[in-house]
Amino acid sequence: MDIARTPATPDGNPEMADAAVEPHAPALIRREDYAPFPWRVAATHLDFDLGLEKTRVEARLTLERNPEAERSPTIRLNGEGIRPLEVRCDGASTSSHTMEGDDLIVTLPGDAHELTLVTEIDPAANSQLMGLFASNGMLCTQCEAEGFRRITFFPDRPDVLSVYTVRMRAPKAEFPVLLANGNCTAEGDDGDHHWAEWHDPWPKPSYLFALVAGDLVARSDSFTTMGGRKVALNIFVRDGDLDRTEHAMESLKRAMAWDEQTFGREYDLDIYNIVAVSDFNMGAMENKGLNVFNTKYVLADIDTATDGDFDAVEGVIAHEYFHNWSGNRVTCRDWFQLSLKEGFTVLRDQLFSQDMGSAPVKRIGDVRVLRSVQFPEDSGPLAHPIRPDSYQEISNFYTATIYNKGAEVIRMMRSMAGEEAFRKGCDLYFERHDGEAATCEDFVTAIEDGAGLDLERFRLWYSQAGTPRVTVALAHEGETATLTLSQEVPPTPGQPDKQPMPIPLRIALFDRDSGTHSGEQLVVLNEASETLRFEGFAAPPVLSVNRGFSAPVRIEREIARDELTFLAASDDDPFARYEAMQDLVVGHLGDVVAGGLAAEEREAGRDAIRTALGAVLADDRIDDQMRGELMMLPGETYLMEQALVADPGAIHNARETLKTWLGRELGEELAGLHERASRAPGTLDPAAQGARKVKTLALTYLAAADPRRASQMAAAQYDGATTMTDRQGALMVLAGLETADRTAKLLDFYNRYRSNDLVIDKWFALQASSLHPQAIEHVKSLRNHGDFTLRNPNRARSLYMAFAGNPQAFHAASGEGYRLIADLILELDPINSQTAARFVPALGRWRRIEPGRAALMRGELERIAGASQLSRDTFEQVSRSLG
């Protein structure tokens, strides 16, 4: 499953109480308490009589005792908000059952039984969007992590694998398309109704079950696997959206070919279906053979989708396809092992995207996400290992730590093993555990055995939370360069003391005069501190460290400004060059915010940044995509992470002052870049995409330095735009200005795209994330706009998540931004608790903020905690954030 990449109700059932429980601590689930389930479900037959407001479900489970588990005279079947209408054992009605909370307990005296259960649900009233729900007249499911129990009673845990056969009956006019997992084995008409039967031959857990019924059209194609199987490919969408599915289909075919070539993984069914749904909590879901997607990650054309949207569609399509092996054929034993499938699959989709486009730019983008989302998580109250020890609500652990840090941990194994040996380890993993529910330990052991690595101490990465800090010191004497590396893993909640972990660092030592080095090396820091010596340096070399971001750590070192300037201009590793640019800016802004900086020192810091940025603008050896990365100033969230106690207002002012100064100093160069980039065609080739990227970045500097001139340039860019990237980029700049062009273009954008929900999401987000001094008032006004609704997660995120990620507005000294998000959480929680809970971490960072704002943030968390009714999701997030 892909969490909504922007890197995330009372239900309709009469007794659905999940969204309205008393605020007491939910039960704590511990990894150490895992035990195999007493029963196996050899086969599951599901019969659906579908309707928007009334769906009847008959489930027939073929049960047999699990010889590897403790014997039990009963079976516990999980349910949530449902009640059994009938319970039959071996064909006969039975009264040997009882309800325990939401769960159904059935007494089973023998070793094998057929259990039949009948339930009835109301999909139209299911605003939680978990289980079976309605979306604009269609029916669809979302069962990960624990949504299947909202459909029927079942041992709803990932280690219970079953072979599913699904029969659906529905009114033909209302639901002409009937889809489920696997292959369609039969279909027919029944008067005004029709039916279809689907069978999935591969055993799977209940969280991978999927069903879709609706009035849909399909883009169809095919793919022939390396083994000769011809696979029918379909992308189902609503009528009118078909012309925006070509990119998704081509991305799917590229992903299928890449997985065969890179990992040797071949698709294993006769059909692969994707369905785009407008109401969806996540980005997409990898259900076996029937992927359900948020429309945001399927629909794209040049007029309505940005270059970033095209990349996201390709990445998410690939991610869910890759899950067919890393998640479906080999699944998780329990939810503590979530990173087994998600971390591995994120790495796979990252490697795929690197191969499809610019590898350096993709790597920088992935690290930027890690630092802006996961690093704060790792240093805050919600910190947890990539394999957690406990949880209260599993939906809260679909986090950047599980996904993004999980991917970095596996990438480190790949770096230490080498690509060929890592592939051997992956092959061994799939061979050993195909058709099983596995653990993170199983994966590490397979890499260890296949690659010939000793990963005993490396396993600490799975059990210890926190981002390691690596202190780097380089000394020089005679012809010897001495590198001292030290590491510290900071305390996190529940883990005050940490052990040193193996940290692979790619390094190079540059000769300052020639600007070259004798080769890159991989060094692995295993202990708390280690010293390495390098001979043959008559003059002190310049160290390039953690090249390619070889380890997810914070590098701390004293480095001269001239050395950073050298690396920013000369390092041959694109990430290291980017990092040097970032470090130049971070160091300067840190000094400015701290105060006490002499005028000449301030000028020297600014001049170094201007020199480096000027070199980037003039360097014809790099393409515009990379140029764009080097032009970006560090974000305010990242800058706040560098301070022990952050003052958001001071950081914002310092960053904007620097941006204004650079815009003035390099104004002509930036205007020239904008003019040159404006001549690029409106195509999707890398050069044109790079030109669009630097064009808008140039505008952001010019807008800070000369708002009137930039407004005119942005308006002209908007009017002449032939792509959404150019139009949105211009509108983003205008949204932060107080000009007539701002008002006119925002109105034009809305009127132009008012029938396109995904583009109107952009319209909301641009205003909520803008630098405009009245951004808070704009958000309040947009909350009452006729197109705004809290019932659609995309729309709620477009306004409020964009606002929560806008530091200058969210951290307003008055605390009004905090109140806005707290009010949202309280209003949204009864409607869609998963989406509501994802807003809590924005307030949970209060410990890292200066005392005045920290008190206001904590006060809003306490107000939420004091509400009379909170979901499990939100309760856990708030209580952990308060500590």
Side-chain angles (χ1 to χ4, degrees):
M1 180 164 62
D2 185 81
I3 53 178
R5 294 190 178 195
T6 29
T9 44
D11 243 340
N13 303 317
E15 280 115 61
M16 182 60 65
D18 174 55
V21 297
E22 290 303 315
H24 61 275
L28 191 66
I29 311 298
R30 295 182 175 84
R31 180 167 56 89
E32 64 183 19
D33 295 335
Y34 170 82
F37 194 67
W39 296 87
R40 290 174 175 168
V41 185
T44 299
H45 290 76
L46 299 170
D47 197 322
F48 289 85
D49 194 350
L50 295 169
L52 283 175
E53 296 180 346
K54 178 182 176 181
T55 289
R56 186 178 177 88
V57 186
E58 181 175 300
R60 183 158 39 93
L61 314 181
T62 302
L63 305 175
E64 56 190 40
R65 291 198 180 275
N66 183 357
E68 298 176 2
E70 184 177 341
R71 188 178 181 88
S72 172
T74 63
I75 184 170
R76 176 181 290 272
L77 301 171
N78 304 120
E80 190 166 335
I82 56 177
R83 289 291 183 269
L85 300 181
E86 295 180 42
V87 178
R88 299 193 296 271
C89 186
D90 300 325
S93 294
T94 177
S95 59
S96 299
H97 62 85
T98 185
M99 293 296 295
E100 188 175 298
D102 271 340
D103 292 349
L104 177 67
I105 313 298
V106 184
T107 300
L108 298 174
D111 291 339
H113 297 278
E114 183 177 270
L115 191 63
T116 302
L117 309 155
V118 179
T119 56
E120 202 170 86
I121 52 181
D122 180 356
N126 179 0
S127 60
Q128 293 283 351
L129 309 184
M130 288 293 291
L132 179 67
F133 64 93
S135 173
N136 291 324
M138 66 184 287
L139 293 174
C140 56
T141 56
Q142 170 56 30
C143 292
E144 187 176 359
E146 295 177 340
F148 191 74
R149 64 187 63 187
R150 295 170 176 251
I151 298 171
T152 189
F153 293 99
F154 197 81
D156 192 12
R157 41 188 284 169
D159 61 342
V160 177
L161 278 62
S162 184
V163 174
Y164 284 72
T165 301
V166 179
R167 191 180 192 279
M168 294 169 283
R169 181 178 180 272
K172 283 187 291 188
E174 196 172 0
F175 306 109
V177 173
L178 303 175
L179 306 171
N181 304 89
N183 299 316
C184 186
T185 55
E187 54 188 341
D189 286 336
D190 180 13
D192 292 337
H193 288 65
H194 68 144
W195 59 270
E197 190 168 286
W198 291 74
H199 176 71
D200 184 356
W202 300 99
K204 63 176 178 284
S206 56
Y207 82 84
L208 288 173
F209 168 76
L211 175 155
V212 172
D215 189 0
L216 302 165
V217 294
R219 176 181 291 275
S220 299
D221 208 323
S222 66
F223 180 86
T224 301
T225 70
M226 60 185 180
R229 179 195 294 270
K230 187 174 182 180
V231 181
L233 309 177
N234 298 292
I235 297 178
F236 288 91
V237 296
R238 296 198 170 280
D239 192 19
D241 288 335
L242 203 59
D243 59 348
R244 292 190 284 156
T245 58
E246 181 181 2
H247 177 66
M249 180 62 79
E250 293 305 310
S251 298
L252 174 59
K253 292 191 291 184
R254 287 193 292 269
M256 296 177 81
W258 184 89
D259 208 21
E260 290 184 345
Q261 296 161 7
T262 308
F263 281 90
R265 299 297 105 193
E266 183 176 355
Y267 188 61
D268 51 10
L269 289 169
D270 298 331
I271 192 166
Y272 189 90
N273 289 326
I274 290 173
V275 179
V277 179
S278 57
D279 299 287
F280 208 63
N281 284 336
M282 298 293 187
M285 179 61 209
E286 72 267 17
N287 321 294
K288 183 74 176 180
L290 177 57
N291 289 183
V292 180
F293 270 66
N294 191 317
T295 51
K296 181 175 181 175
Y297 298 108
V298 172
L299 305 179
D301 64 20
I302 200 77
D303 182 56
T304 61
T306 65
D307 296 336
D309 293 333
F310 276 95
D311 290 344
V313 168
E314 181 178 64
V316 178
I317 290 280
H319 180 96
E320 305 310 331
Y321 174 75
F322 297 153
H323 264 314
N324 187 60
W325 278 91
S326 51
N328 297 0
R329 286 284 287 265
V330 184
T331 193
C332 302
R333 186 196 73 177
D334 53 66
W335 291 121
F336 298 103
Q337 320 298 329
L338 182 57
S339 195
L340 172 73
K341 74 181 184 79
E342 295 299 350
F344 188 22
T345 305
V346 168
L347 174 65
R348 277 152 53 74
D349 84 52
Q350 289 176 349
L351 296 175
F352 166 76
S353 295
Q354 287 179 196
D355 286 349
M356 295 302 106
S358 168
V361 170
K362 173 61 178 170
R363 186 63 183 138
I364 290 170
D366 290 337
V367 174
R368 186 183 298 116
V369 170
L370 187 81
R371 285 173 164 171
S372 64
V373 182
Q374 196 280 321
F375 275 21
E377 188 172 272
D378 232 357
S379 63
L382 302 179
H384 58 274
I386 65 171
R387 184 190 58 206
D389 292 322
S390 65
Y391 64 81
Q392 293 175 325
E393 174 54 57
I394 183 55
S395 63
N396 286 332
F397 273 96
Y398 284 77
T399 63
T401 295
I402 298 294
Y403 282 69
N404 303 75
K405 185 176 181 179
E408 295 297 326
V409 168
I410 298 174
R411 187 186 287 263
M412 286 191 287
M413 285 189 267
R414 182 173 181 263
S415 296
M416 293 187 293
E419 292 182 22
E420 185 176 340
F422 179 75
R423 165 67 189 274
K424 290 180 180 178
C426 292
D427 288 347
L428 186 59
Y429 167 68
F430 291 126
E431 177 186 331
R432 284 178 177 174
H433 302 290
D434 187 11
E436 294 182 0
T439 66
C440 293
E441 176 60 28
D442 292 329
F443 180 82
V444 176
T445 299
I447 300 299
E448 197 170 40
D449 294 345
L453 286 177
D454 179 359
L455 296 173
E456 184 60 35
R457 293 188 59 188
F458 188 85
R459 287 167 169 82
L460 289 167
W461 280 98
Y462 281 85
S463 59
Q464 294 190 160
T467 304
R469 299 189 184 102
V470 177
T471 302
V472 178
L474 184 67
H476 179 264
E477 185 175 350
E479 293 197 349
T480 302
T482 302
L483 175 62
T484 301
L485 301 170
S486 303
Q487 66 165 293
E488 177 192 9
V489 187
T492 53
Q495 292 186 339
D497 301 310
K498 309 293 179 70
Q499 299 179 53
M501 302 188 292
I503 298 176
L505 296 169
R506 289 167 46 196
I507 67 167
L509 293 167
F510 278 85
D511 177 79
R512 194 186 303 262
D513 293 331
S514 66
T516 62
H517 60 82
S518 59
E520 183 180 88
Q521 302 180 54
L522 180 69
V523 300
V524 180
L525 173 60
N526 286 298
E527 306 299 332
S529 182
E530 296 185 25
T531 299
L532 304 110
R533 292 176 175 79
F534 304 91
E535 303 295 335
F537 291 96
V542 179
L543 173 66
S544 175
V545 64
N546 205 22
R547 293 160 64 82
F549 200 71
S550 55
V553 300
R554 300 178 189 270
I555 297 294
E556 298 181 352
R557 59 172 172 168
E558 295 291 334
I559 181 170
R561 185 183 293 125
D562 66 316
E563 292 188 0
L564 280 178
T565 306
F566 168 86
L567 292 171
S570 305
D571 203 317
D572 60 342
D573 179 82
F575 176 81
R577 186 175 182 183
Y578 163 83
E579 188 80 322
M581 285 289 296
Q582 296 288 292
D583 286 348
L584 266 176
V585 178
V586 169
H588 171 72
L589 292 179
D591 290 341
V592 170
V593 171
L597 201 64
E600 59 271 18
E601 187 63 19
R602 181 191 295 259
E603 291 175 8
R606 291 192 314 187
D607 288 344
I609 296 168
R610 179 188 56 191
T611 298
L613 181 57
V616 166
L617 297 177
D619 192 344
D620 58 8
R621 298 169 300 174
I622 57 176
D623 60 38
D624 278 340
Q625 294 223 37
M626 187 65 201
R627 191 184 325 278
E629 297 298 330
L630 295 172
M631 287 173 65
M632 291 186 198
L633 294 176
E636 289 176 38
T637 300
Y638 179 64
L639 290 168
M640 283 190 275
E641 278 298 301
Q642 310 311 303
L644 290 176
V645 177
D647 183 334
I651 288 172
H652 173 74
N653 292 335
R655 185 179 184 274
E656 287 303 302
T657 298
L658 175 63
K659 187 167 67 172
T660 300
W661 184 82
L662 289 170
R664 289 172 181 159
E665 290 291 308
L666 297 169
E668 293 313 306
E669 291 91 332
L670 290 163
L673 176 63
H674 186 275
E675 181 181 0
R676 188 264 291 171
S678 296
R679 295 194 291 269
T683 58
L684 284 173
D685 63 274
Q689 289 186 352
R692 290 192 285 272
K693 185 177 185 177
V694 298
K695 183 194 308 185
T696 294
L697 280 166
L699 267 184
T700 63
Y701 282 99
L702 293 170
D706 190 345
R708 179 175 297 181
R709 178 190 186 190
S711 180
Q712 295 170 349
M713 293 173 66
Q717 177 176 311
Y718 180 96
D719 290 337
T722 58
T723 68
M724 176 55 71
T725 304
D726 275 348
R727 183 166 288 116
Q728 178 177 302
L731 193 61
M732 179 268 293
V733 171
L734 288 169
L737 302 175
E738 189 60 80
T739 65
D741 286 325
R742 175 189 187 275
T743 303
K745 301 312 179 191
L746 279 171
L747 180 60
D748 177 82
F749 190 90
Y750 175 79
N751 288 331
R752 185 188 297 249
Y753 296 109
R754 64 191 309 165
S755 63
N756 187 309
D757 287 342
L758 293 178
V759 182
I760 294 303
D761 286 341
K762 298 177 187 296
W763 182 78
F764 278 99
L766 283 169
Q767 296 173 79
S769 60
S770 81
L771 291 174
H772 197 284
Q774 298 300 315
I776 292 178
E777 295 306 314
H778 295 159
V779 170
K780 290 179 180 179
S781 176
L782 289 166
R783 172 63 180 84
N784 296 317
H785 192 278
D787 286 332
F788 185 80
T789 173
L790 286 181
R791 297 182 74 86
N792 179 272
N794 282 355
R795 187 56 47 86
R797 287 188 289 255
S798 71
L799 182 62
Y800 284 101
M801 199 62 82
F803 174 76
N806 181 351
Q808 64 94 18
F810 175 66
H811 289 289
S814 65
E816 193 170 6
Y818 309 145
R819 287 194 298 277
L820 207 61
I821 294 300
D823 288 344
L824 166 74
I825 293 168
L826 289 168
E827 184 179 6
L828 183 58
D829 190 56
I831 302 170
N832 188 324
S833 58
Q834 277 196 27
T835 302
R838 293 188 180 278
F839 285 91
V840 175
L843 294 169
R845 299 294 295 152
W846 60 272
R847 291 174 180 82
R848 298 294 301 274
I849 304 298
E850 55 85 16
R853 288 180 172 88
L856 295 171
M857 295 171 79
R858 181 180 174 87
E860 295 302 331
L861 286 169
E862 290 171 340
R863 180 162 68 92
I864 298 169
S868 60
Q869 295 178 328
L870 282 180
S871 68
R872 292 195 306 264
D873 309 63
T874 301
F875 179 87
E876 181 182 23
Q877 293 286 75
V878 171
S879 59
R880 291 178 64 206
S881 295
L882 286 170

